[in-house]
């Protein structure tokens, strides 16, 4: 009788612990996914829009990516200025293809639809925009998800269709999850910055 009671107690304890740890794991996974999505969406709206960016960099940990992104955004903002292009009523839709996590790292593939309005002379144009695939690498720092690098797979764009930024900076799926430290390719960064600088000079020359 005592043995049967002991077996039942052990069985109940195992079931309870299994449920507890599974529930805890599920909640942690759900929390991480919400944190990842929040970081991705705020980052895109603030700093990596199809139309440009504000250079806030609140969610970016990589100095190399910050340097590229500032040059990219400054170029897009300059181009918009000389074209008298000022988008407003911007609206974003995020359709996630995948979120891959491994410990404190994640890779996100998300299709982003960005719609906006603008004026062409005195005519108001509504419903303009683009739909592009974003591939984003993130690292968890002090319980918050931060951006390491990102690429927009644009078909036609002033700059976003020129470089696969993730690849240029040394990111790929396997190495990112296996290694704690990324060997950033400074030569490729300089190449991208040089290209952007020359393109800006060309735009400035044709605008005068």
């Amino acid at each position: 009788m005592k043995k049967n009671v002991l077996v039942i107690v052990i069985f109940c304890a195992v079931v309870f612990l299994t449920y507890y740890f599974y529930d805890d794991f599920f909640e942690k996974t759900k929390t991480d996914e919400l944190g990842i999505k929040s970081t991705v969406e705020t980052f895109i709206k603030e700093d990596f829009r199809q139309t440009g960016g504000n250079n806030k960099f609140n969610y970016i940990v990589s100095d190399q990516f910050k340097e590229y992104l500032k040059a990219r955004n400054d170029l897009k903002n300059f181009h918009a200025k000389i074209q008298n292009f000022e988008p407003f009523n911007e609206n974003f839709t995020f359709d996630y293809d995948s979120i891959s996590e491994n410990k404190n790292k994640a890779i996100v593939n998300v299709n982003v639809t960005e719609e906006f309005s603008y004026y062409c002379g005195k005519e108001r144009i509504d419903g303009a925009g683009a739909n592009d695939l974003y591939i984003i690498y993130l690292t968890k720092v002090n319980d918050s998800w931060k951006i390491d690098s990102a690429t927009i797979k644009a078909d036609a764009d002033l700059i976003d269709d020129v470089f696969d930024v993730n690849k240029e900076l040394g990111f790929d799926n396997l190495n990112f999850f296996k290694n704690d430290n990324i060997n950033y390719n400074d030569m490729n960064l300089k190449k991208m910055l040089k290209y952007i600088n020359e393109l800006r000079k060309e735009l400035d020359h044709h605008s005068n």
Side-chain angles (χ1 to χ4, degrees):
M1 183 66 179
K2 290 182 178 180
K3 287 184 178 180
N4 290 339
V5 173
L6 181 60
V7 169
I8 293 172
V9 170
I10 293 173
F11 175 77
C12 290
V14 169
V15 170
F16 173 77
L17 289 173
T18 300
Y19 174 80
Y20 174 81
F21 284 115
Y22 175 80
D23 189 57
D24 183 63
F25 173 78
F26 178 79
E27 286 300 320
K28 182 179 180 300
T29 301
K30 185 178 179 181
T31 300
D32 275 340
E33 183 173 310
L34 290 174
I36 289 168
K37 287 182 176 181
S38 176
T39 294
V40 164
E41 293 172 19
T42 304
F43 157 67
I44 290 173
K45 290 176 182 178
E46 288 185 351
D47 290 329
F48 208 25
R49 301 188 302 275
Q50 190 266 348
T51 54
N54 300 331
N55 294 334
K56 290 187 176 182
F57 305 148
N58 293 326
Y59 294 89
I60 302 174
V61 292
S62 164
D63 290 335
Q64 288 82 358
F65 184 54
K66 284 180 186 177
E67 193 171 354
Y68 166 79
L69 195 56
K70 184 179 186 307
R72 178 256 189 199
N73 289 343
D74 288 350
L75 174 69
K76 287 213 164 196
N77 296 338
F78 175 74
H79 185 245
K81 182 179 180 181
I82 63 177
Q83 295 290 323
N84 293 316
F85 173 69
E86 295 184 18
F88 59 95
N89 288 346
E90 291 174 295
N91 183 60
F92 297 83
T93 303
F94 299 89
D95 182 15
Y96 289 86
D97 284 346
S98 64
I99 298 176
S100 304
E101 290 182 60
N102 189 330
K103 296 181 180 179
N104 66 331
K105 296 182 179 183
I107 302 173
V108 173
N109 287 5
V110 56
N111 289 288
V112 180
T113 301
E114 181 180 346
E115 295 182 341
F116 52 85
S117 302
Y118 69 98
Y119 281 97
C120 182
K122 294 184 178 181
E123 181 185 3
R124 172 170 168 160
I125 309 296
D126 295 313
N131 176 271
D132 294 310
L133 173 65
Y134 284 63
I135 302 174
I136 303 173
Y137 288 75
L138 303 95
T139 297
K140 198 173 188 180
V141 180
N142 297 327
D143 293 327
S144 297
W145 288 97
K146 303 293 184 180
I147 306 295
D148 281 299
S149 181
T151 289
I152 302 177
K153 294 291 187 179
D155 292 327
D157 188 82
L158 177 67
I159 183 63
D160 292 332
D161 64 339
V162 178
F163 299 109
D164 182 336
V165 180
N166 293 335
K167 183 177 179 181
E168 296 288 349
L169 292 181
F171 286 85
D172 66 65
N173 294 18
L174 293 177
N175 285 338
F176 183 65
F177 284 138
K178 286 182 178 179
N179 300 327
D180 290 331
N181 297 313
I182 298 297
N183 294 319
Y184 292 101
N185 194 318
D186 289 332
M187 291 298 295
N188 285 353
L189 174 61
K190 291 176 181 178
K191 175 186 69 178
M192 292 190 292
L193 296 178
K194 180 180 179 182
Y195 179 91
I196 291 173
N197 185 53
E198 290 176 350
L199 181 55
R200 176 161 179 159
K201 287 180 180 178
E202 183 178 341
L203 292 173
D204 189 32
H205 174 73
H206 287 297
S207 67
N208 294 323

